[in-house]
Amino acid sequence: MELPLDQILLGDCIDLMRMLPAGSVDCIFADPPYNLQLRGELRRPDDSLVDGVDDDWDKFGDYAEYDRFTRDWLTEARRLMRKDATIWVIGSYHNIFRIGAILQDLGFWILNDVVWRKSNPMPNFRGRRFTNAHETMIWAARSPQSRYRFNYAAMKALNDDVQMRSDWLLPLCTGNERLRNQHGLKLHPTQKPESLLHRVLLASTGVDDVVLDPFTGTGTTAAMSKRLRRRFIGIERHPDYAEAAIGRFQRERPLPMDSVMPSPAKRDAPRVPFGSLVERGLIPVGTRVTDKQGRVSAIVSPDGTLVSGSRRGSIHKLGAELTNAPSCNGWTFWHFERDGALVTLDVVRVESAAAQDAAE
Amino acid sequence: MELPLDQILLGDCIDLMRMLPAGSVDCIFADPPYNLQLRGELRRPDDSLVDGVDDDWDKFGDYAEYDRFTRDWLTEARRLMRKDATIWVIGSYHNIFRIGAILQDLGFWILNDVVWRKSNPMPNFRGRRFTNAHETMIWAARSPQSRYRFNYAAMKALNDDVQMRSDWLLPLCTGNERLRNQHGLKLHPTQKPESLLHRVLLASTGVDDVVLDPFTGTGTTAAMSKRLRRRFIGIERHPDYAEAAIGRFQRERPLPMDSVMPSPAKRDAPRVPFGSLVERGLIPVGTRVTDKQGRVSAIVSPDGTLVSGSRRGSIHKLGAELTNAPSCNGWTFWHFERDGALVTLDVVRVESAAAQDAAE
DNA sequence: GTGGTGACTGAATCTTAAT
DNA sequence: GATTAAGATTCAGTCACCA
């Protein structure tokens, strides 16, 4: 079977993976059934019913059956991976420990466990546990010898020039992004947010890499692969999900090539201290900066700190302090008026970097 | 063997646990060895050397040894747990997946996986992975039937009155808290911060509960147990660590009793029958009660039931019936007019409880 | 357009005491 | 042990609707 690039295949992932040639994919993202074991209905304090995951595809007899299923699909997945390929598997405490142990048993080499912290998780309605506010992704190479791809600079740039950590704060997939049927009901109970796949693919794949998703669902991996100009192979067993994923994949448009290429200028650009922009007069001392809504404001000091009343700190620190946030990207948080429009500090940073490049 | 309360035993934890009586502890915190001794060579969690040969069977054999060790100590731990006891196990991606799977296989019931997000993790020096900025704790009950302890109100209070989430941001153990030898070197490679154990014990134990730590190390669990007035049993194999833990335990002072008592939780308050409020005239017979919007109404009877047309029942039952809900908390559902304002029955209940307290 | 209100929702292993 | 009734319990966000 030739490699079915940029297609979504309808059928069982183990059967279909068996038909694909060994060593043919660069990266796998897999969102297998979690084997949730829900024992009854759950109601919110206002008595409304929680729409839990009760689909047949998430039902397994016991742990042994789930383990067998996991070993089978991971074995095929590993066969399809090039020797330097990596795999991502997402899960919750119901299944992720079994998956992690089986990954290790099969010879995969775990690189990180990455925690997706949900900014808006469903609360715990009965007050009997901690709010289950995260899911876990395991990122593993095919073997300890794999010389895998990790776009370190891109991740660092995405994280305001500090190393990307193993815990990612991202919202659930809601609102317009969530695919719905003609009745306005969610098409898939567990659609993943695009932001999550965006970061996964940006971190571990390159342009034209072959990405496989054996549990495509409604195609978030498919859409993000196309947007970021990766090649995609999807497998989905459920005809309704597959149909939705195919339509979504067709509608998706790739970003311009230059925006998805790792930018050497950006990667090698030295970190620009805010103070240096002040020094160079690109942002005058005394400038009044505010957040986007103008709820908080501060004044630029000569040393590159901001002052707001009796508080003083870096653009990041003061932004966090004034909004009671644990952290803040001051570059994008603070705005100031220029030519009658509000622009972020980051705009000036980018302009200054471009000017430096031109000078070299 | 009598229960060695408030002691730290020197020896192998499996051997020593075998000598303790079954069903004798309320909570276990375990920080088992990962055996990650990186001396310029790669070692697996069980300390075996990665030999550079991609031999699946060999790797499985190594993991098997770690699994056997894990199964052995967890089996003994489970025997020591009361039927409603819970266990915490902390680990990293090297070992936590194996531990989680074995916990499930042994019949434990996972309640949460809790992520300890390190506010000051060690950076990734080689830039080949995400900064490993967290560790994972599994919190599990002895069985699915366990009626385990979770101090919901205390956790909510600790978190600015919103539910405590499954991701905790806490700094590493550094500075003065870190135990050091006479050369100023850290005594133990993975000493856990007191804040972590403080939260663990506050969440899942009560005053005078028996806490066991089979891998005591330098005794963070011991110290926090004593500080919070829990009873402690520790086991440590390494004489230097045990000695340090014993000294630390002896130096630790318990907090005042009133400060370690749990935050008052509504579900622990004594139950007041609605009828007794009627008897005491706090809510007069004949009072007209309604829901918040005034859509349904009823009249208070002398026996503490409500009457609405031909229907009659308890405040809960009638509330449920009139709204076609499966259940209803009558205390917060029903309102009545007092001094020109609508107040809930619950307000009266709380007032009467406060009056009783004052009278005592 | 803007702002305020209220309804709705999300991978969830979600109670306990008394009879 | 099974059954029944009491009663404790939610956060961040989106969107529709209306003033």
Side-chain angles (χ1 to χ4, degrees):
Chain A
M1 184 174 182
E2 207 180 330
L3 216 52
L5 288 177
D6 302 315
Q7 292 179 40
I8 291 164
L9 312 176
L10 179 64
D12 177 80
C13 74
I14 298 173
D15 296 341
L16 286 170
M17 281 197 285
R18 286 210 175 102
M19 301 171 66
L20 297 177
S24 52
V25 310
D26 298 291
C27 187
I28 295 179
F29 182 87
D31 181 11
Y34 284 10
N35 191 24
L36 255 44
Q37 295 157 55
L38 308 179
R39 289 191 283 195
E41 64 173 32
L42 176 64
R43 287 176 180 273
R44 299 186 179 80
D46 65 4
D47 262 330
S48 61
L49 195 60
V50 173
D51 183 15
V53 178
D54 56 358
D55 306 71
D56 286 337
W57 49 254
D58 198 43
K59 301 254 195 295
F60 294 84
D62 52 21
Y63 289 130
E65 185 183 335
Y66 187 80
D67 289 352
R68 203 155 41 238
F69 162 74
T70 301
R71 229 179 334 257
D72 286 349
W73 76 258
L74 277 175
T75 299
E76 284 310 309
R78 189 160 190 268
R79 189 181 65 83
L80 296 186
M81 290 165 72
R82 296 193 211 284
K83 70 175 173 43
D84 294 336
T86 62
I87 184 170
W88 295 79
V89 189
I90 185 168
S92 65
Y93 66 83
H94 310 85
N95 68 329
I96 198 67
F97 303 116
R98 317 204 73 86
I99 287 172
I102 290 170
L103 278 167
Q104 291 176 317
D105 290 345
L106 292 177
F108 290 92
W109 188 245
I110 297 181
L111 301 169
N112 279 111
D113 55 336
V114 173
V115 172
W116 169 27
R117 296 199 298 130
K118 303 176 183 181
S119 56
N120 50 350
M122 181 154 63
N124 184 292
F125 295 118
R126 312 308 295 264
R128 296 298 292 132
R129 302 180 176 199
F130 299 99
T131 303
N132 193 2
H134 75 277
E135 293 185 26
T136 301
M137 292 185 291
I138 300 175
W139 182 42
R142 189 181 190 279
S143 85
Q145 290 75 41
S146 297
R147 296 172 55 169
Y148 57 92
R149 177 177 196 121
F150 176 55
N151 298 320
Y152 175 76
M155 285 299 102
K156 192 171 176 182
L158 198 62
N159 196 37
D160 197 24
D161 282 336
V162 297
Q163 291 186 343
M164 185 68 80
R165 298 166 42 114
S166 55
D167 55 321
W168 302 355
L169 181 66
L170 296 169
L172 295 171
C173 178
T174 60
N176 270 337
E177 192 186 317
R178 192 92 194 207
L179 298 186
R180 294 172 199 283
N181 63 17
Q182 55 270 58
H183 309 296
L185 300 174
K186 60 188 175 192
L187 206 54
H188 192 283
T190 70
Q191 185 181 337
K192 294 293 173 288
E194 295 187 349
S195 59
L196 188 73
L197 271 297
H198 187 272
R199 192 176 293 182
V200 162
L201 295 176
L202 215 55
S204 56
T205 67
V207 168
D208 284 337
D209 273 7
V210 176
V211 176
L212 168 69
D213 184 343
F215 306 96
T216 289
T218 45
T220 305
T221 312
M224 287 307 97
S225 293
K226 186 170 178 186
R227 185 181 299 175
L228 294 172
R229 293 182 176 267
R230 276 64 172 161
R231 311 301 299 270
F232 182 73
I233 304 173
I235 303 176
E236 173 52 46
R237 184 169 59 172
H238 194 301
D240 294 348
Y241 299 159
E243 187 191 335
I246 290 168
R248 183 180 181 188
F249 186 67
Q250 286 170 345
R251 286 192 301 277
E252 186 71 38
R253 287 290 156 257
L255 289 167
M257 183 60 99
D258 55 1
S259 71
V260 298
M261 294 294 286
S263 150
K266 194 166 187 182
R267 186 180 61 215
D268 300 336
R271 181 172 176 179
V272 182
F274 177 65
S276 76
L277 301 188
V278 179
E279 283 172 343
R280 290 153 66 192
L282 297 171
I283 298 178
V285 172
T287 300
R288 184 166 170 276
V289 293
T290 67
D291 67 319
K292 197 177 179 187
Q293 289 81 20
R295 284 189 266 231
V296 299
S297 72
I299 302 296
V300 174
S301 299
D303 62 357
T305 58
L306 299 184
V307 177
S308 176
S310 62
R311 296 156 185 264
R312 169 189 287 266
S314 72
I315 56 174
H316 311 297
K317 195 169 164 189
L318 196 72
E321 219 173 292
L322 294 179
T323 56
N324 289 319
S327 67
C328 168
N329 180 349
W331 291 108
T332 52
F333 175 78
W334 294 107
H335 298 61
F336 70 105
E337 206 178 312
R338 191 175 68 176
D339 306 329
L342 269 189
V343 298
T344 62
L345 301 183
D346 202 44
V347 166
V348 180
R349 172 167 67 158
V350 170
E351 288 170 349
S352 81
Q356 292 247 319
D357 283 354
E360 279 166 15
Chain B
M1 184 174 181
E2 207 181 332
L3 215 53
L5 288 177
D6 302 317
Q7 294 179 38
I8 292 165
L9 313 176
L10 179 65
D12 178 79
C13 75
I14 298 173
D15 295 342
L16 286 170
M17 282 197 285
R18 286 213 175 100
M19 301 171 65
L20 298 176
S24 52
V25 310
D26 299 291
C27 187
I28 296 179
F29 181 88
D31 182 12
Y34 320 168
N35 292 324
L36 271 181
Q37 309 294 331
L38 295 172
R39 306 182 202 95
E41 62 218 347
L42 279 177
R43 283 177 186 272
R44 301 199 178 85
D46 58 1
D47 207 30
S48 67
L49 197 61
V50 173
D51 58 11
V53 176
D54 190 5
D55 185 332
D56 291 354
W57 187 89
D58 170 57
K59 271 195 286 287
F60 185 80
D62 292 343
Y63 286 125
E65 197 172 321
Y66 189 80
D67 290 352
R68 195 157 45 241
F69 162 70
T70 302
R71 227 179 333 260
D72 286 350
W73 76 258
L74 278 175
T75 299
E76 283 310 309
R78 189 160 189 267
R79 188 183 66 81
L80 297 186
M81 290 166 73
R82 293 192 213 284
K83 69 175 174 42
D84 294 336
T86 62
I87 184 171
W88 295 78
V89 189
I90 185 168
S92 68
Y93 66 81
H94 306 90
N95 65 334
I96 198 67
F97 302 116
R98 317 206 71 85
I99 289 170
I102 290 169
L103 277 167
Q104 291 177 316
D105 290 342
L106 291 178
F108 289 93
W109 191 243
I110 297 181
L111 300 169
N112 280 111
D113 57 335
V114 173
V115 173
W116 168 28
R117 300 174 47 225
K118 303 175 184 180
S119 54
N120 49 349
M122 174 148 34
N124 185 293
F125 294 114
R126 302 178 57 176
R128 297 295 296 136
R129 303 178 180 201
F130 298 98
T131 301
N132 195 3
H134 75 276
E135 292 186 29
T136 301
M137 292 185 290
I138 300 175
W139 181 43
R142 191 180 189 280
S143 86
Q145 288 75 42
S146 296
R147 294 166 63 163
Y148 57 91
R149 179 176 193 120
F150 176 55
N151 298 320
Y152 175 76
M155 285 298 102
K156 192 172 176 179
L158 199 61
N159 195 39
D160 281 340
D161 278 332
V162 297
Q163 293 187 337
M164 186 68 80
R165 297 168 40 116
S166 55
D167 55 324
W168 301 356
L169 181 65
L170 296 170
L172 292 168
C173 178
T174 58
N176 273 339
E177 191 185 315
R178 191 90 196 216
L179 298 186
R180 297 173 196 281
N181 62 17
Q182 56 270 57
H183 309 298
L185 301 174
K186 58 190 175 192
L187 204 54
H188 191 281
T190 65
Q191 184 180 339
K192 295 293 174 286
E194 296 187 349
S195 58
L196 188 73
L197 270 297
H198 186 272
R199 192 176 293 182
V200 161
L201 295 177
L202 215 55
S204 56
T205 66
V207 168
D208 284 337
D209 274 8
V210 176
V211 176
L212 168 69
D213 184 342
F215 306 97
T216 290
T218 44
T220 306
T221 312
M224 288 306 98
S225 293
K226 186 169 178 187
R227 187 180 299 175
L228 294 172
R229 293 181 177 268
R230 277 67 170 157
R231 311 303 299 270
F232 181 73
I233 304 174
I235 302 176
E236 173 54 44
R237 182 169 60 173
H238 193 300
D240 294 348
Y241 298 159
E243 186 191 337
I246 289 168
R248 183 180 182 188
F249 186 67
Q250 284 171 344
R251 285 191 301 275
E252 187 70 38
R253 286 293 156 255
L255 289 167
M257 182 60 99
D258 54 1
S259 71
V260 299
M261 293 298 282
S263 306
K266 205 163 182 182
R267 55 163 55 91
D268 300 329
R271 292 189 173 197
V272 180
F274 177 65
S276 76
L277 301 187
V278 178
E279 279 172 350
R280 289 154 65 194
L282 297 171
I283 297 179
V285 173
T287 300
R288 183 164 171 277
V289 294
T290 69
D291 67 317
K292 197 178 179 186
Q293 288 83 22
R295 284 188 267 230
V296 299
S297 71
I299 303 295
V300 175
S301 299
D303 62 357
T305 59
L306 299 184
V307 177
S308 177
S310 63
R311 296 155 187 265
R312 170 189 287 269
S314 73
I315 56 174
H316 313 294
K317 204 164 168 181
L318 195 70
E321 220 174 291
L322 294 179
T323 56
N324 289 317
S327 70
C328 170
N329 182 344
W331 291 108
T332 52
F333 176 78
W334 294 108
H335 298 59
F336 71 104
E337 207 179 313
R338 191 176 69 175
D339 306 329
L342 270 189
V343 298
T344 62
L345 300 184
D346 201 42
V347 166
V348 181
R349 173 168 65 159
V350 170
E351 285 169 358
S352 80
Q356 293 248 319
D357 283 353
E360 281 168 9

